[in-house]
Amino acid sequence: MKAVTVSKTGPETHLVLAEHTEPGAAPGEAIVAVRAFSLNNGEVRAALHEGVDGDRPGWDLSGVVESAPKGSGFQPGDRVVGLVWGGGWAERVAVPTSRLAKIPDGVSFEAASTLPVAGLTAAIALQKKAIGKGSRVLVTAATGGVGVYAVQLAAAAGAHVTAFVRAAANTEFLRNLGAEEIAVGLEAAEKGGPYDLILEGVGGTLLGEALMWLAPRGVCVLFGDASQDTLTTFDARRFRLQSGGAYGGTVLYGFFLIDELTRPEGAADGSAILADLARRLSEGSLRPVIGRTAQWTRIDKTARELLKREFSGKAVLTVGG
């Protein structure tokens, strides 16, 4: 069986297809024949910059069930989307049924493969503060995988959505996704506040500024660090006492998807959320944004293009053929 593998030859690191043993299913796991998978910035960066020779990356996948536990609700032949914590970019993968969902007819494998990390992160992060009509939500990294889904899901919940961007080129694109305001730069983003909920995926300087744009009892969910700037400074008094002209209750929430789905108590139901997201795709109320589609033999080239931000949205690779 072939799988995407980290290959280190001297100082160079590449992603290649290599032969591996077939997966075995542990209790509670289904074997899925993979048809497509999508790339996430964090896993690609880790694989190319920190990967060990022989590592097998890959989180998001879609495909067809080959075998499944009795009573799991899955059967051979089911079209599914799933999430694993590594090794998902392969011809066959063992996937816990707790992170597996059926794909409705009419939803392509390519579209479904964009859902696990980006869709689950957006959906669960939006649950950290009750939002609805009249709520103000800010989404940073709005043209990334998580941002694209966060804008759509927040708008569908009735919130007034502001999308933060560095340049105005993506204004029409984000408005079509449901953003009511496009904030180009820090000054515009601050004027659009105060915000009840901020989904922040950049970190560094932007995070420090965003913490001071929260409404009373507002929540900032930090789900990523696209800037790779490890230093954040902020005005602690404004965050604690002067948010929105009132006082207190503001929260910075550090979001980590693995913890959200596996914590001993209060874990999110990954399978149910994936199923809901797939249903929304089928109904047309949610749409993926795929910036690059290629055969998986082009994994190394596509991964590098993703890191260089040569396209917006997700990169999807198809297996076989």
Side-chain angles (χ1 to χ4, degrees):
M1 178 195 75
K2 288 185 172 61
V4 174
T5 308
V6 174
S7 175
K8 299 181 76 71
T9 55
E12 295 292 324
T13 299
H14 294 281
L15 297 177
V16 302
L17 297 185
E19 289 291 336
H20 290 267
T21 58
E22 293 284 344
E29 291 183 335
I31 300 296
V32 177
V34 178
R35 296 290 184 266
F37 58 83
S38 70
L39 311 185
N40 296 284
N41 188 286
E43 65 186 336
V44 170
R45 192 167 64 217
L48 289 176
H49 296 169
E50 305 164 16
V52 175
D53 191 61
D55 280 355
R56 286 181 48 191
W59 301 335
D60 296 349
L61 62 93
S62 63
V64 178
V65 172
E66 288 193 342
S67 64
K70 184 176 295 186
S72 67
F74 297 97
Q75 298 180 3
D78 285 344
R79 302 170 70 248
V80 292
V81 56
L83 172 66
V84 292
W85 304 133
W89 302 343
E91 289 182 302
R92 280 169 293 282
V93 179
V95 184
T97 57
S98 61
R99 300 195 298 272
L100 196 65
K102 295 179 184 178
I103 304 171
D105 293 339
V107 175
S108 69
F109 289 119
E110 291 84 355
S113 75
T114 68
L115 290 175
V117 168
L120 285 171
T121 296
I124 299 170
L126 286 168
Q127 296 173 1
K128 301 308 174 184
K129 171 75 176 181
I131 60 172
K133 187 173 179 58
S135 299
R136 299 187 72 86
V137 175
L138 173 68
V139 179
T140 72
T143 60
V146 175
V148 162
Y149 281 134
V151 168
Q152 294 180 77
L153 292 171
H160 180 285
V161 180
T162 298
F164 177 89
V165 292
R166 296 289 186 181
N170 291 307
T171 294
E172 183 177 355
F173 162 70
L174 289 165
R175 287 196 185 281
N176 288 336
L177 292 181
E180 294 191 44
E181 293 186 34
I182 311 300
V184 182
L186 296 176
E187 184 177 349
E190 182 174 9
K191 287 182 179 178
Y195 302 101
D196 300 292
L197 177 63
I198 298 175
L199 268 59
E200 215 294 271
V202 178
T205 300
L206 179 55
L207 172 61
E209 294 292 328
L211 290 175
M212 298 182 288
W213 302 337
L214 287 168
R217 295 170 297 284
V219 177
C220 177
V221 180
L222 179 64
F223 67 85
D225 58 348
S227 70
Q228 298 186 57
D229 182 354
T230 58
L231 180 63
T232 295
T233 60
F234 68 102
D235 185 330
R237 180 177 176 83
R238 285 186 60 193
F239 170 68
R240 186 172 70 93
L241 296 177
Q242 298 176 358
S243 303
Y247 299 93
T250 48
V251 173
L252 170 60
Y253 186 96
F255 185 99
F256 188 47
L257 184 59
I258 294 177
D259 174 66
E260 298 291 334
L261 295 174
T262 61
R263 61 181 55 163
E265 295 183 5
D269 188 337
S271 181
I273 298 172
L274 276 176
D276 178 66
L277 293 170
R279 175 188 60 79
R280 291 172 185 255
L281 285 184
S282 178
E283 295 173 350
S285 59
L286 187 68
R287 65 183 181 93
V289 176
I290 300 175
R292 186 65 48 87
T293 303
Q295 282 287 318
W296 73 327
T297 53
R298 299 176 65 84
I299 176 62
D300 193 72
K301 181 175 186 296
T302 305
R304 295 174 193 280
E305 291 171 345
L306 177 72
L307 291 185
K308 293 176 182 176
R309 301 182 182 179
E310 293 186 8
F311 53 88
S312 296
K314 298 284 285 183
V316 174
L317 300 183
T318 55
V319 177

